[in-house]
Amino acid sequence: DAGVIQSPRHEVTEMGQEVTLRCKPISGHDYLFWYRQTMMRGLELLIYFNNNVPIDDSGMPEDRFSAKMPNASFSTLKIQPSEPRDSAVYFCASSDRVRGYTFGSGTRLTVV
Amino acid sequence: DQQVKQNSPSLSVQEGRISILNCDYTNSMFDYFLWYKKYPAEGPTFLISISSIKDKNEDGRFTVFLNKSAKHLSLHIVPSQPGDSAVYFCAWVSGGTSYGKLTFGQGTILTVHP
């Protein structure tokens, strides 16, 4: 298995632009999580899905952030419009009750 | 709400010695704590877990101890190796499983000197 695959690895964008981060979870995992890592707040959960259904989005900072999981093999996290304070590393992770958690390598987002 | 605190931002240890990483929590209601290791430019990787019914769990060089009365857990690495140099996070798992959503501590940077 290739693990959790995130794209792009790095993204630099201008303030006000739309940014879309992508994630392919491990096949068969029924949970998918989006985390964000910043110096100030550390690693924090943004949203998670179970069987493609959003379960808890209380960590999504504001309406500019949205996440979708149209099928079991793909999820997106969108920021529109982006702001400099959104600069962070965004991690996707997937899990199931047998194999536990696996994190992707992350997307480093820089908003200038 | 459960809070997870790692009060030591960094730890420096000589190769071959023991590394002890600490974590405190606030809410006595939990089922699992997990420890993760993170290298730069990579996602966190799972190291070891402990459930609330145990006070110790061991896996090779890694042992996690749980002190429920003190609301404290610690990760021991013996012997420490230079390849162990990384950021270590403790994390609480909500929902009574080992695969639910995680609440992380701030992390401790471990440096093992040759």
Side-chain angles (χ1 to χ4, degrees), chain B residues 12-24:
Chain B
S12 184
V13 171
Q14 205 68 30
E15 181 178 7
R17 305 285 213 144
I18 185 171
S19 296
I20 301 177
L21 299 135
N22 295 303
C23 181
D24 296 302

Side-chain angles (χ1 to χ4, degrees), chain A residues 21-88:
Chain A
L21 312 181
R22 296 172 175 81
C23 175
K24 177 178 168 54
I26 289 176
S27 176
H29 278 191
D30 49 2
Y31 286 84
L32 184 138
F33 305 81
W34 283 99
Y35 289 87
R36 177 171 70 173
Q37 184 181 26
T38 61
M39 288 293 292
M40 292 298 296
R41 299 175 65 89
L43 269 163
E44 55 180 346
L45 177 70
L46 300 178
I47 185 172
Y48 80 96
F49 297 82
N50 179 217
N51 292 321
N52 313 338
V53 176
I55 302 300
D56 183 352
D57 65 354
S58 58
M60 296 285 262
E62 44 197 278
D63 292 345
R64 297 184 298 106
F65 285 69
S66 62
K68 293 182 180 179
M69 192 165 186
N71 56 62
S73 58
F74 185 64
S75 177
T76 59
L77 178 68
K78 187 176 292 187
I79 308 172
Q80 165 65 17
S82 57
E83 296 182 2
R85 60 193 167 119
D86 302 329
S87 298

Side-chain angles (χ1 to χ4, degrees), chain B residues 1 3 10 14 17 19 25 28 33 38 40 47-48 56 59 62-63 65 68 71-72 76 84-85 93 95 105 113-114:
Chain B
D1 254 12
Q3 290 187 38
S10 63
Q14 205 68 30
R17 305 285 213 144
S19 296
Y25 59 94
S28 299
F33 273 99
K38 185 183 179 305
L47 261 181
I48 192 169
K56 177 183 172 182
D59 184 2
F62 301 91
T63 303
F65 295 93
K68 287 191 279 287
K71 297 181 185 176
H72 177 85
H76 292 212
D84 296 329
S85 298
V93 193
H113 298 282

Side-chain angles (χ1 to χ4, degrees), chain B residues 32-85:
Chain B
Y32 287 94
F33 273 99
L34 312 180
W35 282 93
Y36 280 83
K37 178 167 77 171
K38 185 183 179 305
Y39 292 118
E42 294 184 13
T45 55
F46 172 74
L47 261 181
I48 192 169
S49 66
I50 191 161
S51 73
S52 60
I53 61 173
K54 293 187 173 185
D55 55 16
K56 177 183 172 182
N57 190 25
E58 196 170 351
D59 184 2
R61 297 186 297 115
F62 301 91
T63 303
V64 57
F65 295 93
L66 175 62
N67 182 334
K68 287 191 279 287
S69 62
K71 297 181 185 176
H72 177 85
L73 60 156
S74 60
L75 174 68
H76 292 212
I77 306 173
V78 184
S80 302
Q81 300 172 355
D84 296 329
S85 298

